[in-house]
Amino acid sequence: MNTKKVAQIGMLSSAALILHLVETWLPVPAPVPGIKLGLANCVSLVTLAVLGIRYAFYLTVIRILLGALIGGILFGPAFVMSAAGGSGSILAMWYASQHWKPPFSVIGVSIIGAVAHSVIQVAAAAWLVSSESLLWYVPYVVLLAIPAGAVTGLTVGYFTDRLSICR
């Protein structure tokens, strides 16, 4: 990896981490506990579009590790759920952007990532506690992930159009 890429990933990781931390301070009035908007995913989605899957994955790993370290959950159950959801989300968004874009815009790709993240997190939680009964949570998190992914996608679309970085 050259110096320019290291600097880009460092700056993007910082932005993603800041958004992640800010999001932990925001109360989300959702009927289901643990729901977040996914603001840090804006940076992941831009990184995926501009630098590709490899760098988007690096960014996601760095953000999850540093966020968990700062939050005091490193290698705990919440870390495992976050790592599983983040990794699955990046892979789902990459696949959608490679195979389903033109039909899907950045908004559609973002929704796919949000849904994948939520479903994989619930599956990881069910695996961690060895209980399939947690899977009842999936329809609720999917219903909430769709508007959250749309907001993230709209935000990314707005900024990439203004900045001309994804053309």
Side-chain angles (χ1 to χ4, degrees):
M1 189 177 333
N2 66 33
T3 306
K4 181 180 178 182
K5 294 284 188 215
V6 170
Q8 287 174 327
I9 290 300
M11 289 187 303
L12 290 166
S13 296
S14 297
L17 183 59
I18 289 166
L19 288 172
H20 170 78
L21 293 172
V22 166
E23 189 172 40
T24 62
W25 302 330
L26 298 175
V28 178
V32 180
I35 298 298
K36 292 197 268 181
L37 291 173
L39 297 176
N41 197 43
C42 291
V43 181
S44 300
L45 194 53
V46 168
T47 304
L48 181 64
V50 175
L51 300 176
I53 180 70
R54 184 168 124 194
Y55 296 104
F57 192 75
Y58 290 159
L59 172 109
T60 301
V61 168
I62 291 166
R63 179 188 52 80
I64 290 169
L65 281 171
L66 291 176
L69 184 63
I70 291 168
I73 61 165
L74 191 60
F75 304 123
F79 170 78
V80 172
M81 292 168 54
S82 181
S87 302
S89 174
I90 288 294
L91 289 174
M93 289 189 299
W94 171 78
Y95 187 86
S97 68
Q98 295 299 303
H99 299 286
W100 300 333
K101 201 174 175 185
F104 285 111
S105 66
V106 69
I107 298 167
V109 171
S110 180
I111 290 170
I112 288 168
V115 168
H117 189 279
S118 298
V119 170
I120 292 168
Q121 268 197 326
V122 172
W127 176 75
L128 283 168
V129 298
S130 300
S131 174
E132 293 176 7
S133 65
L134 283 181
L135 298 178
W136 68 267
Y137 202 54
V138 168
Y140 300 104
V141 296
V142 167
L143 284 173
L144 294 169
I146 292 169
V151 167
T152 301
L154 284 166
T155 304
V156 169
Y158 176 82
F159 284 107
T160 56
D161 286 348
R162 300 299 179 281
L163 300 173
S164 302
I165 58 176
C166 291
R167 292 182 196 178

